Amino acid sequence: MSISRRKFLGWVGAAGIGSAVGKSARAAGNKHFEGYQESLGVLHDMSRCVGCRSCEAACCKVNELPVPDKPFTDTHVLDEERRTTAKTYTVVNKYHVSGKIGPSFRKIQCNHCVEPACASACFVKAFKKTETGAVTYDASLCVGCRYCMIACPFEIPAYEYHESLTPRVMKCTMCHPRLTKGQLPGCVEVCPTEALTFGKREDLLIIARERIRKYPGKYMDHIYGENEMGGTSWLYLSNVPFSGIGMRDDLGVTPAPELTSGALSVVPLVAGLWPVFLMGIYAISKRKEIIFKEELDEAARSRTQEDI
């Protein structure tokens, strides 16, 4: 295959124009999304959490995840801070906060942002914010770029590095399949202390505000997730400072798409150019091989003529 430098640059230019003009950037937009009106969510009252890990066991069961080596009844695992993985959608961590008698516990999982950073960063729309409030993932669309992992301010999406052929990005789905059947998320259903409350997001905010009003000395005067990064479907109440239990207090209230729209708008363009670029490199390499072979043949013919 022969290709000239001019032809290769022409392909790149054509691809660039097609990507820039023919498609608008699907990775991010510049319009603020207020969320679905009937969106559901979960309120996690951390003052009620006792670190029993029942939520972890339920999550493992309903999502058919691998059973860990140590049983869920073993609370010694709480002695080390953990994060979610491709095999574990939710974990409970234990914290010792200065000035508080006894430990505090926090359940960690996908926060299901109102305007998800993962969906904003995903140019193939593998992540989607649903009307239920859950952020779902379609592995059939995923190209494995892992931009979602970089974009998530809560460091939740995890990649199946152990899967060589069909790796996926794994995270909590708020038990979306169960929600569509009118069932509770697995973790909410089994919580023995009612630390988890499921319902409409707007109703959960009312419940949270009422608890703060009724017990002003018990709770921090803040509902984490009401406004952080534009808001999340997973909301938190705490009787200790959020920073003391590993929760970021520097996120601000601006939704992720508004922060990344400029940078992410070029992602589809880059994705469209990449195959063309690789094809050009391949063509140039093949051309070099042909020229090299022709030079070898010419040298061999010259030697043959000299021998004659």
Side-chain angles (χ1 to χ4, degrees), residues 45-46 53 66 89 105 107 165 216 260 264-265 269 288 307:
D45 188 336
M46 289 179 281
R53 300 184 66 204
Y89 290 175
F105 300 95
K107 180 183 180 299
L165 297 178
T260 59
L264 290 176
S265 63
L269 173 62
K288 287 182 178 179
D307 294 339

Side-chain angles (χ1 to χ4, degrees), residues 212 215-223 237-242:
I212 293 173
Y215 305 102
K218 179 180 180 179
Y219 295 104
M220 303 300 297
D221 189 12
H222 181 68
I223 305 170
L237 279 179
S238 177
N239 56 339
V240 296
F242 289 102

Side-chain angles (χ1 to χ4, degrees), residues 290-300:
I290 293 172
I291 293 173
F292 181 68
K293 186 177 183 301
E294 290 176 349
E295 289 177 347
L296 286 179
D297 292 342
E298 180 63 28

Side-chain angles (χ1 to χ4, degrees), residues 277-295:
F277 177 73
L278 292 179
M279 183 170 61
I281 294 297
Y282 173 79
I284 292 172
S285 299
K286 293 298 292 183
R287 176 58 179 163
K288 287 182 178 179
E289 290 179 10
I290 293 172
I291 293 173
F292 181 68
K293 186 177 183 301
E294 290 176 349
E295 289 177 347

Side-chain angles (χ1 to χ4, degrees), residues 123-138:
F123 61 89
V124 295
K125 292 189 176 181
F127 284 93
K128 178 183 178 182
K129 179 70 173 181
T130 68
E131 293 186 5
T132 64
V135 177
T136 59
Y137 166 75
D138 187 344

Side-chain angles (χ1 to χ4, degrees), residues 23-33 115-123 147 151 229 254-270:
K23 289 184 180 179
S24 60
R26 296 187 296 177
N30 56 8
K31 293 183 179 179
H32 179 57
F33 174 58
E115 295 191 71
C118 56
S120 172
C122 184
F123 61 89
Y147 291 155
M229 295 297 294
T254 305
E258 292 185 20
L259 294 172
T260 59
S261 59
L264 290 176
S265 63
V266 302
V267 171
L269 173 62
V270 174

Side-chain angles (χ1 to χ4, degrees), residues 35-201:
Y36 294 107
Q37 296 242 337
E38 300 297 309
S39 178
L40 302 170
V42 177
L43 172 63
H44 179 24
D45 188 336
M46 289 179 281
S47 71
R48 299 183 179 185
C49 184
V50 295
C52 67
R53 300 184 66 204
S54 295
C55 54
E56 290 187 33
C59 179
C60 179
K61 181 179 179 181
V62 301
N63 289 292
E64 300 180 347
L65 299 173
V67 178
D69 296 333
K70 295 182 179 180
F72 290 108
T73 53
D74 185 355
T75 56
H76 288 93
V77 300
L78 300 177
D79 294 334
E80 295 184 8
E81 188 169 354
R82 300 174 295 155
R83 62 153 294 170
T84 58
T85 70
K87 298 180 181 179
T88 308
Y89 290 175
T90 188
V91 297
V92 175
N93 280 338
K94 179 171 66 176
Y95 303 87
H96 295 282
V97 181
S98 177
K100 180 181 180 297
I101 299 175
S104 296
F105 300 95
R106 168 191 164 209
K107 180 183 180 299
I108 303 171
Q109 72 297 301
C110 175
N111 285 326
H112 301 278
C113 302
V114 174
E115 295 191 71
C118 56
S120 172
C122 184
F123 61 89
V124 295
K125 292 189 176 181
F127 284 93
K128 178 183 178 182
K129 179 70 173 181
T130 68
E131 293 186 5
T132 64
V135 177
T136 59
Y137 166 75
D138 187 344
S140 67
L141 298 176
C142 183
V143 296
C145 68
R146 285 162 281 176
Y147 291 155
C148 55
M149 297 173 63
I150 300 172
C152 179
F154 304 106
E155 300 181 352
I156 293 299
Y159 195 65
E160 289 184 317
Y161 290 102
H162 61 284
E163 293 287 345
S164 57
L165 297 178
T166 57
R168 297 167 294 174
V169 176
M170 308 295 279
K171 73 170 193 66
C172 157
T173 65
M174 206 160 76
C175 288
H176 182 258
R178 290 172 62 88
L179 299 186
T180 58
K181 298 176 183 178
Q183 299 175 310
L184 291 171
C187 57
V188 176
E189 189 172 64
V190 302
C191 183
T193 62
E194 297 185 355
L196 302 174
T197 304
F198 177 77
K200 292 182 181 179
R201 185 178 185 271

